[in-house]
Amino acid sequence: MKAFVELQSQWCPPWKYKKFYFLNYNSHPLAEDIFTAILKLNEPPRLIFNEASALHYWTYEHNRCAVIMFSGYERITPVLKPVYLGSRYLIFHPNLEEGNVFLEQLHSGISCILDRAYYLLYDYTTIQIQHKNFFTNRTIQLDPANIRVPDDLKDLHGRKLHISLPEGNEDVVTFDLYLAETICQQRNATYQLQSINSTLLDYGVVHIGIPLLGTDKTVGLGSTFVSVMVPHSKPKPIIAVLIDPFDYYTWITLFVLIFLLALVLSLFGKVLSQWNIIENALEMIMCILGGPTRQYGGWFENQIITNYCLLAIVIVSSYQSLIISYLTYTRYSPEINTEDEIRSSCIFPFESNWARHYDFKLDGEYDDERDNMCFLLLSRDDPHITTLLMENTRDIDPAAEQAYKRNLRVADTILFKYYLIYYFFNKSIIRELFPFYIAAFRESGLFDQHYRNKSIHTAIHSREMFGVRSFNVSDLSIIWYLYAGGVMVSILWFGIEIAFFHCLRCGRMVRKRWTTFSRKYHGQAKFMKKKLKSFNMT
């Protein structure tokens, strides 16, 4: 018991391993006594079983400690690929005279590899503590009176780590290789990259945009997400400089002011009350463009027009200065960044499975030539790394190929963001190396420093934001637009005036003729009435 307590305190202390799994199907009285004494040493929570069929299920998890009582006569069925179990084990075997067949098979690794196991061979007088180091392929014995648990991970003895990276990531996510290289240099190992996931690998870098839970994975440095590749905003047409100096609220406020002033002057003005509200509104607009066009009278009316003309000076000067400044550089429409903007402006190919989750529009194929086609990419870390991944995976990913061909950009909105995951296909003891190195790189800031200094440089989309340039013919076309618009408005207004005054003239002629007609026939009717009356009397 003294040797067991010391071994347990060093190998799987109860304060660290909260769950203990106990398995005993050795009916020997000495095994029962040992098992009963061990149960008295450890407090719950614990799981107690007497059937070996539960061993794989309850000890596959990593953060557990298992105490197992074997008889030594068991035999293991060989399998094609040995299974790594994740728990730490304290396995009791009776010291048999004819040899412990089960212990020999465990050391051979023909069915399962318990690289976190310590074997306690006991009888009534002695105890032996053995441990198989699978890196050196040697079995060592510990002194029961002076137990010192060795660190198998201190020297990997040239072990080759098989690492999986998604195809096209080798030249981009250089920090994952830097981490593997650091571990191999300090722990006497080598590594080899592969792009195909299989159970023969030690671990793989997984970035799929959603969380993967389980103890066969560990959280790495960086993040994974699904990025949206959207088109760059297009340059605004030159005619937009007439609207852009003021925002929508300013334009609405200005027209509301014009309408209210026209209404007030139509009701209470001395001279302008003779005109209707539409004519007064046009006069307010003319005050802004070129000044008053009529003669006004009355104190109230003069005060309103004077203050309004002072306001028009400020509005016109601000408007003209902003137009001149806007003409000196290329301006662009707003970028597509938010989720609502993506939903309203983008169309995704039918094969974009992630788009269905966010109710994005699905219409067309990857090679669709429409300008509003957007694409989804599995990405990681930041937009710079995403752009590099797009360039390096364009030969194997149709979405990356189209995004690179169309010169798309990464939207600010990202989907399914989660931490980067290292997936250990075999739950070997190598997994216990990574939390230390990941914490060290995170706390020292070397992760960000590495990406700033060692990542491949890529050309970022550049724009001419404040480049002063001269006017050209296309820029001056706004003058012809204004001229053509003014001619059309003048012709339209001239036609309205002709129609209006023509209708008034026609109305006056109709009323005059009707009056003449009614007077003429009214006299004749009165004369005939008198004649008829005298005839009746006669």
Side-chain angles (χ1 to χ4, degrees), residues 254-315:
L254 180 60
F255 284 109
V256 169
L257 174 63
I258 292 174
F259 174 79
L260 292 177
L261 289 180
L263 178 63
V264 170
L265 293 174
S266 298
L267 296 175
F268 307 105
K270 184 177 180 180
V271 176
L272 294 180
S273 60
Q274 302 175 8
W275 304 89
N276 57 41
I277 187 173
I278 297 178
E279 292 175 327
N280 289 335
L282 291 175
E283 180 63 21
M284 295 297 101
I285 295 176
M286 289 302 300
C287 288
I288 295 179
L289 297 178
T293 61
R294 298 174 184 173
Q295 185 177 1
Y296 309 109
W299 179 87
F300 177 72
E301 196 170 87
N302 289 333
Q303 290 295 324
I304 288 183
I305 297 298
T306 302
N307 293 326
Y308 179 71
C309 288
L310 292 175
L311 176 64
I313 294 174
V314 178
I315 293 176

Side-chain angles (χ1 to χ4, degrees), residues 28 90 104 223 290 335 362 372 414 418 438 458:
H28 193 275
L90 296 170
E104 293 176 358
S223 60
E335 297 280 12
L362 298 175
N372 59 343
I414 57 178
Y418 196 67
I438 290 173
T458 182

Side-chain angles (χ1 to χ4, degrees), residues 266-397:
S266 298
L267 296 175
F268 307 105
K270 184 177 180 180
V271 176
L272 294 180
S273 60
Q274 302 175 8
W275 304 89
N276 57 41
I277 187 173
I278 297 178
E279 292 175 327
N280 289 335
L282 291 175
E283 180 63 21
M284 295 297 101
I285 295 176
M286 289 302 300
C287 288
I288 295 179
L289 297 178
T293 61
R294 298 174 184 173
Q295 185 177 1
Y296 309 109
W299 179 87
F300 177 72
E301 196 170 87
N302 289 333
Q303 290 295 324
I304 288 183
I305 297 298
T306 302
N307 293 326
Y308 179 71
C309 288
L310 292 175
L311 176 64
I313 294 174
V314 178
I315 293 176
V316 171
S317 61
S318 302
Y319 184 74
Q320 290 177 347
S321 61
L322 288 174
I323 286 180
I324 294 173
S325 63
Y326 284 170
L327 288 173
T328 58
Y329 71 95
T330 304
R331 296 177 305 113
Y332 292 84
S333 302
E335 297 280 12
I336 301 174
N337 281 318
T338 65
E339 197 171 306
D340 293 335
E341 292 172 350
I342 295 172
R343 189 174 289 110
S344 61
S345 303
C346 286
I347 296 178
F348 294 86
F350 289 115
E351 292 81 2
S352 301
N353 296 326
W354 301 106
R356 293 186 177 89
H357 183 78
Y358 285 88
D359 296 330
F360 292 153
K361 296 179 183 178
L362 298 175
D363 185 16
E365 303 296 333
Y366 280 108
D367 56 353
D368 201 311
E369 296 297 332
R370 283 179 286 186
D371 295 336
N372 59 343
M373 289 296 294
C374 301
F375 304 93
L376 298 176
L377 295 180
L378 297 179
S379 310
R380 53 175 291 182
D381 297 336
D382 54 46
H384 175 70
I385 299 299
T386 301
T387 306
L388 294 174
L389 289 174
M390 176 190 66
E391 294 179 1
N392 283 267
T393 60
R394 63 181 185 270
D395 295 332
I396 57 178
D397 186 358

Side-chain angles (χ1 to χ4, degrees), residues 21-168:
Y21 170 85
F22 294 92
L23 173 63
N24 178 29
Y25 57 89
N26 186 357
S27 58
H28 193 275
L30 181 56
E32 293 288 347
D33 294 340
I34 295 174
F35 187 70
T36 303
I38 291 174
L39 290 179
K40 293 180 180 180
L41 294 174
N42 294 275
E43 296 296 331
R46 55 195 178 190
L47 305 169
I48 304 176
F49 294 88
N50 58 5
E51 295 182 0
S53 59
L55 174 65
H56 284 71
Y57 178 80
W58 290 105
T59 64
Y60 189 75
E61 295 293 334
H62 169 71
N63 197 25
R64 287 180 181 173
C65 191
V67 179
I68 307 175
M69 310 294 295
F70 285 111
S71 64
Y73 296 103
E74 298 87 350
R75 292 186 178 273
I76 301 176
T77 303
V79 295
L80 181 62
K81 180 68 174 64
V83 178
Y84 284 80
L85 299 183
S87 298
R88 293 197 172 198
Y89 298 89
L90 296 170
I91 302 177
F92 284 84
H93 293 272
N95 196 356
L96 304 177
E97 295 181 358
E98 62 274 16
N100 194 317
V101 179
F102 182 60
L103 182 60
E104 293 176 358
Q105 292 184 342
L106 283 178
H107 285 174
S108 65
I110 61 174
S111 178
C112 60
I113 297 179
L114 302 181
D115 52 6
R116 299 181 182 88
Y118 281 83
Y119 305 92
L120 292 88
L121 279 71
Y122 63 91
D123 55 24
Y124 284 99
T125 58
T126 61
I127 182 173
Q128 299 178 16
I129 301 176
Q130 298 182 4
H131 172 66
K132 173 66 179 293
N133 188 330
F134 285 87
F135 300 122
T136 61
N137 199 25
R138 294 175 56 189
T139 301
I140 62 173
Q141 290 194 10
L142 277 65
D143 184 5
N146 186 20
I147 297 176
R148 294 291 183 269
V149 173
D151 185 6
D152 291 349
L153 297 175
K154 188 175 182 180
D155 188 352
L156 301 184
H157 297 277
R159 167 72 177 268
K160 178 178 288 188
L161 302 181
H162 298 274
I163 306 172
S164 171
L165 278 178
E167 189 175 357

Side-chain angles (χ1 to χ4, degrees), residues 154-196:
K154 188 175 182 180
D155 188 352
L156 301 184
H157 297 277
R159 167 72 177 268
K160 178 178 288 188
L161 302 181
H162 298 274
I163 306 172
S164 171
L165 278 178
E167 189 175 357
N169 284 229
E170 299 84 357
D171 298 330
V172 179
V173 290
T174 54
F175 181 79
D176 297 324
L177 305 181
Y178 182 40
L179 176 63
E181 182 181 353
T182 302
I183 293 176
C184 291
Q185 287 180 353
Q186 296 187 1
R187 303 300 174 118
N188 188 18
T190 58
Y191 70 91
Q192 180 181 356
L193 292 179
Q194 297 183 11
S195 59
I196 301 176

